[in-house]
Amino acid sequence: MNVLVRGGLVATPEYVYQADVLVENGVIKEVGRGLNAPPGFEVIEAGGMLVLPGVVDEHVHMREPGLTYKDDFEHGTKAAAAGGVTTVVEMPNTLPPVDSAERVAEKARLLQGRAYVDFALYGVLHDGSVGRIREMLDAGVVGFKVFLGPTTGNIPPPRLGSLVEVMESSEKYGFTVAFHAETHELVEYFTARYRAQGSKPSLHDLARPPLAEAHAIRTIGSIQEHAGGRSLIVHVSSKQALEAVEEFKRRGVSMYAETCPHYLVLSADDYEKYGPLIKVNPPIRGRDHAEALLRGVNSGLIDTIGSDHAPHAPEEKSGDIWSAASGMPGVQTLLPLVLDLALRGFIDVRRIPLLMARNPAKLFKLWPWKGEIAPGSSGDLVVVDPRDEYVVREEDLYYKHKLSPYIGWRLKGRVKYTILKGVVVARDGVVEGKPVGSWVKPVR
């Protein structure tokens, strides 16, 4: 719990500057030059390396409880630690779904003592759980998830009246609602239309077009203009979705946008190579969409980058594009892929601590305990060597099923140390020690 990271280049959203970071009893005590470590402190010499705040991945599906044949919390949080993620915000569409105070408590008990990084919990909102918002907040959730399109767990989209109540409650209590923004009826229509044309993997893109995404966002935004509240549109995948978000931002609506690495580094051209392996919802689209998303990352239109870590068993990712499950693991490669983009000049490196630490921590009321390199914040740090290059290897991934399209990719910037509350939990991508992660609740 006591460590001195010495001589590194501390990266914040505002500056990159040389400094030491002293963590004592799990908390950042001091940031400055020429700091000395008291006896018994571990000293990490970070000369020439970047020192980032621990990544807050606000979008993971660790599949527990009920779906552990896909993956589980132990494997998933080990993968997070290996990749520089120190806090995960766990999605609620498990079996059973987290839609009551009792289920919040049950899930927290299940995960305690098995987490290699800290974790927070979402509740899920559907027509049957809207009346339980207050009790789930009291039980410790940091926010809520609403699924407007078909997804794992088959959680139905709320009626429009329920969405009004959701956003009124968001306005009243100050929480963020994360939306899977695809209009269910449009997805069903286009899926039936293109399924009749065969099973070419690229048809998945046509079956869930940008229209379905932008339509859902405009529905959400229109309700917010009436009711208030704060929304996060997760896994934004298209130019049209970005345009819809921008419209509501300009009109003063508290709407935020998340994208994911796979939308930035893959394109529809990759369906031929990877097939159902890269089937995700919303789909990976053409290169012009990826370029628009990169511009959004740099301009500030996109507010967070999350992994949408969504593992499946091998048999679920085989077969034709229509029967294959949507989603792929991503928490271990979240930071490495974005680092690679930054070190190749596509993203300003200062966007990383903003979009992957401070902003997600603020949106889910974990800031300033999480997401910041500052005295009084949790001692969560990632030390990266930007001079190092490496190849992603299957044997280095901690997922239960190592179904990643990035195996064999050469990336710039190696995660050398992942530090959670002053404890080194991973060195050179190798997780060490016992699980020291804990359940974190909103900072009041």
Side-chain angles (χ1 to χ4, degrees):
M1 299 181 71
N2 300 317
V3 65
L4 173 65
V5 179
R6 186 157 58 195
L9 296 169
V10 174
T12 73
E14 294 79 26
Y15 309 105
V16 178
Y17 61 100
Q18 188 172 37
D20 310 330
V21 184
L22 183 69
V23 180
E24 185 173 0
N25 295 324
V27 179
I28 296 174
K29 183 177 181 181
E30 193 172 357
V31 181
R33 292 194 178 190
L35 303 184
N36 294 313
F41 277 56
E42 178 171 0
V43 178
I44 294 173
E45 299 294 348
M49 300 188 196
L50 290 169
V51 181
L52 303 165
V55 170
V56 179
D57 186 354
E58 31 69 57
H59 194 162
V60 303
H61 303 265
M62 296 297 188
R63 304 305 195 197
E64 195 165 358
L67 298 166
T68 52
Y69 71 93
K70 299 174 185 282
D71 213 328
D72 57 39
F73 211 68
E74 180 178 349
H75 284 85
T77 56
K78 279 185 175 180
V85 174
T86 54
T87 304
V88 295
V89 189
E90 163 70 356
M91 287 291 176
N93 56 326
T94 45
L95 296 177
V98 181
D99 60 1
S100 68
E102 290 77 14
R103 287 181 173 169
V104 173
E106 287 169 5
K107 186 162 184 175
R109 282 195 299 270
L110 176 67
L111 304 182
Q112 290 275 29
R114 298 175 52 229
Y116 284 80
V117 299
D118 284 353
F119 66 93
L121 298 176
Y122 283 96
V124 70
L125 295 178
H126 48 71
D127 286 334
S129 67
V130 171
R132 297 195 286 269
I133 287 174
R134 181 70 255 180
E135 69 174 61
M136 285 190 274
L137 288 172
D138 291 341
V141 301
V142 293
F144 294 91
K145 181 71 175 285
V146 172
F147 295 93
L148 296 185
T151 189
T152 299
N154 298 317
I155 294 171
R159 295 172 296 177
L160 292 178
S162 294
L163 288 180
V164 172
E165 294 179 22
V166 165
M167 298 319 299
E168 287 175 340
S169 293
S170 172
E171 175 71 14
K172 179 178 180 180
Y173 297 119
F175 60 80
T176 298
V177 185
F179 280 94
H180 179 131
E182 291 179 290
T183 297
H184 201 287
E185 187 177 345
L186 287 171
V187 170
E188 288 185 328
Y189 167 75
F190 282 107
T191 297
R193 180 173 173 176
Y194 287 103
R195 192 166 190 159
Q197 296 188 15
S199 57
K200 188 177 178 181
S202 59
L203 288 172
H204 179 59
D205 182 14
L206 301 177
R208 302 177 85 119
L211 167 63
E213 199 175 8
H215 184 274
I217 292 168
R218 289 192 170 93
T219 298
I220 296 160
S222 298
I223 290 173
Q224 277 189 258
E225 285 190 307
H226 170 80
R230 184 169 62 242
S231 65
L232 174 65
I233 310 301
V234 297
H235 44 49
V236 169
S237 71
S238 66
K239 294 185 294 183
Q240 291 89 334
L242 270 184
E243 290 165 359
V245 169
E246 187 174 24
E247 288 174 20
F248 288 104
K249 281 178 176 277
R250 280 201 312 264
R251 279 145 63 173
V253 173
S254 295
M255 178 179 282
Y256 299 84
E258 173 216 73
T259 196
C260 309
H262 42 270
Y263 298 120
L264 302 174
V265 302
L266 296 169
S267 76
D269 298 336
D270 293 307
Y271 284 118
E272 186 174 348
K273 179 178 181 180
Y274 296 113
L277 184 63
I278 62 168
K279 180 184 179 185
V280 295
N281 296 332
I284 290 163
R285 308 194 188 276
R287 177 51 53 190
D288 55 332
H289 293 280
E291 291 170 354
L293 292 168
L294 276 171
R295 289 193 296 271
V297 166
N298 282 310
S299 71
L301 182 55
I302 289 174
D303 302 282
T304 71
I305 300 177
S307 69
D308 193 8
H309 173 77
H312 294 285
E315 60 272 17
E316 295 176 306
K317 294 297 285 184
S318 59
D320 66 61
I321 195 66
W322 304 114
S323 61
S326 289
M328 60 184 179
V331 70
Q332 190 167 339
T333 51
L334 168 63
L335 177 60
L337 287 168
V338 179
L339 271 171
D340 183 74
L341 286 170
L343 295 174
R344 294 181 191 276
F346 293 101
I347 295 173
D348 186 326
V349 72
R350 293 173 298 174
R351 308 305 290 177
I352 296 175
L354 180 64
L355 275 66
M356 302 175 72
R358 181 185 292 174
N359 280 356
K362 281 189 170 183
L363 279 171
F364 294 99
K365 292 192 172 181
L366 300 174
W367 186 87
W369 176 239
K370 297 291 185 179
E372 205 70 42
I373 299 179
S377 294
S378 182
D380 303 347
L381 305 169
V382 187
V383 181
V384 174
D385 191 342
R387 303 159 295 193
D388 205 350
E389 292 189 19
Y390 68 102
V391 173
V392 179
R393 304 186 306 169
E394 181 177 350
E395 58 265 36
D396 295 332
L397 298 175
Y398 280 92
Y399 312 133
K400 183 178 285 189
H401 306 295
K402 306 175 194 305
L403 302 177
S404 171
Y406 310 118
I407 293 169
W409 284 34
R410 177 171 288 276
L411 302 178
K412 286 179 175 286
R414 180 184 288 273
V415 175
K416 301 293 287 184
Y417 301 91
T418 304
I419 302 167
L420 174 66
K421 293 173 291 194
V423 177
V424 177
V425 293
R427 300 175 197 262
D428 279 320
V430 178
V431 177
E432 59 184 39
K434 297 178 180 179
V436 294
S438 57
W439 181 21
V440 289
K441 298 180 183 181
V443 176
R444 299 298 183 187

